Amino acid sequence: MIRTILTYPNPELKKKSTAVTIINDAVRELARDMAETMYDAPGVGLAAPQIGVHQRVIVIDVSGRDEPGDLIIAINPVIVHAEGEAYEEEGCLSVPKYAANVRRHARVVVKALDLEGNEQTWRAEDLLAIAFQHEIDHLDGILFVDHLSPLKRELFQRKMRRLAENRGVEQ
Ligand code: NI
């Protein structure tokens, strides 16, 4: 089922998510819905809080294809090693109509559980490394715009206010 993606400045996006303690049908359904929602958007990653569920689950597919084998479902993901520097343009399904360069690590090692409860390890670089860092940030209530310099952040907020005014929404 495709879920509604919450967008900035929805306060639900700022909340920290809690670890999944048992991988049951509800968690499997959540992961399935998240993947469906991500492909529909379309996007390369989605974290559970973006659909208002504060559990540590992320889905990622940076392949640009639509094949099940490329889908990563990571439960309780943790970055156990990070190195190098990246400075690439990012966007987010929760921050429509905005993109900016963000400083990240170039390579990360991520451990997480899969849907069978088995521990998986990913050694990621390039876009996948950035996607892991971006999605894991969501689980801690952090958006990519939170990494911007104060000046860029001010410009971002001004742009968001302008977009909100154009929609006739009070903010
Ligand atoms: Ni995002």
Side-chain angles (χ1 to χ4, degrees):
M1 191 178 83
I2 292 167
R3 310 269 197 112
T4 302
I5 298 173
L6 307 180
T7 54
Y8 177 94
N10 191 311
E12 294 297 310
L13 294 167
K14 302 296 290 175
K15 292 184 188 165
K16 221 171 139 76
S17 294
T18 54
V20 173
T21 50
I22 181 166
I23 298 170
N24 54 19
D25 284 348
V27 173
R28 280 184 280 270
E29 189 183 341
L30 169 66
R32 232 184 357 254
D33 284 357
M34 286 171 61
E36 206 178 322
T37 304
M38 173 183 75
Y39 286 124
D40 176 70
V44 297
L46 191 75
Q50 291 181 273
I51 57 166
V53 178
H54 294 92
Q55 295 191 44
R56 301 187 81 83
V57 179
I58 61 173
V59 296
I60 293 174
D61 186 346
V62 296
S63 70
R65 294 189 297 261
D66 193 359
E67 291 175 28
D70 297 318
L71 174 64
I72 292 172
I73 295 170
I75 298 166
N76 301 340
V78 176
I79 294 170
V80 295
H81 182 74
E83 60 176 36
E85 282 178 25
Y87 188 59
E88 297 293 331
E89 190 175 84
E90 292 183 32
C92 178
L93 294 175
S94 291
V95 188
K97 300 190 178 76
Y98 186 77
N101 281 48
V102 178
R103 282 190 199 293
R104 302 277 190 191
H105 291 290
R107 292 172 294 282
V108 293
V109 179
V110 176
K111 283 187 189 292
L113 299 177
D114 63 19
L115 282 182
E116 280 74 50
N118 299 315
E119 192 178 274
Q120 301 284 342
T121 303
W122 289 272
R123 284 165 211 288
E125 54 183 21
D126 302 326
L127 181 54
L128 182 58
I130 289 167
F132 267 120
Q133 292 167 84
H134 178 119
E135 300 312 329
I136 291 171
D137 263 0
H138 273 300
L139 303 179
D140 294 316
I142 298 166
L143 300 176
F144 79 99
V145 292
D146 294 324
H147 291 290
L148 300 179
S149 68
L151 175 64
K152 275 196 183 166
R153 225 177 121 77
E154 174 58 34
L155 291 172
F156 160 74
Q157 282 162 344
R158 221 181 281 171
K159 177 174 176 167
M160 289 299 117
R161 277 196 294 273
R162 209 163 49 230
L163 285 173
E165 279 159 18
N166 291 343
R167 285 197 307 269
V169 174
E170 289 294 320
Q171 209 171 300

